[in-house]
Amino acid sequence: GNNAQEGVLRSEDGGTTWGPAEPASVAAGNGIACECCPSRTIYGNGRYHTVYRRNNNNLRDMWLVSSEDGLTWDQQLDLDPTDWIISACPETGASASRLPDGRLASVFMSAGEGSSRIYANVSDPAAGDAGSTHLLTPNPEGNSTQNQPDLAVGPTHSAVAWQENSSGWEIHLAIAASDN
């Protein structure tokens, strides 16, 4: 059987040397790391945070795991309430960044409610709070397919870019105040 785990590489000297891959997903309940979906690992507030797609018998959820030392991944939060079941590889990852107030913002694609859509989550890992997850664009054009989101956070605003196909592939951009 497949035992794919989310592995995180750590460098303590600015990227000159790298330690071994540390398994970050082993304590996150049942399931394995989705082997084709890239994750996003960031550091902030004294902890490493990784948002990755978990595969639990083809239930493809996005999870946040975190660690103080990059070795012991002692926090696990399910960020994706859509319960997307697919027996194929979705080939999509997550993007995450710290908001100015210390919370963690992340974006990812899911098709648990029908078509592939981009979801945004704001969580507070320091409080153990998975936060809330919402459609980034609640009223997309027609029956479009959205995928491959990327998030950037600045001091006052956040921006998300993604690809969308309604009658051909286009790149879309949404901008919001970082406190909204």
Side-chain angles (χ1 to χ4, degrees), residues 33-150:
C34 192
E35 60 276 13
C36 63
C37 296
S39 61
R40 181 66 57 99
T41 300
I42 64 172
Y43 183 81
N45 288 350
R47 290 185 74 86
Y48 297 90
H49 297 87
T50 295
V51 178
Y52 78 102
R53 187 175 302 280
R54 188 176 85 172
N55 174 3
N56 184 9
N57 293 319
N58 295 322
L59 174 68
R60 309 290 177 140
D61 268 346
M62 298 303 291
W63 279 70
L64 166 70
V65 293
S66 71
S67 169
E68 187 173 6
D69 60 6
L71 303 172
T72 304
W73 295 82
D74 55 0
Q75 184 181 57
Q76 306 84 32
L77 299 172
D78 183 356
L79 302 181
D80 186 357
T82 64
D83 290 338
W84 181 24
I85 300 283
I86 182 173
S87 60
C89 181
E91 292 187 44
T92 184
S95 185
S97 188
R98 284 250 166 241
L99 293 169
D101 65 6
R103 293 178 300 159
L104 185 73
S106 56
V107 292
F108 53 87
M109 182 278 285
S110 180
E113 296 177 349
S115 295
S116 299
R117 298 280 186 255
I118 303 302
Y119 289 81
N121 173 279
V122 175
S123 58
D124 187 357
D129 179 11
S132 59
T133 300
H134 302 280
L135 280 168
L136 185 67
T137 55
N139 300 311
E141 295 178 26
N143 192 21
S144 63
T145 299
Q146 300 174 336
N147 203 352
Q148 304 300 335
D150 200 16

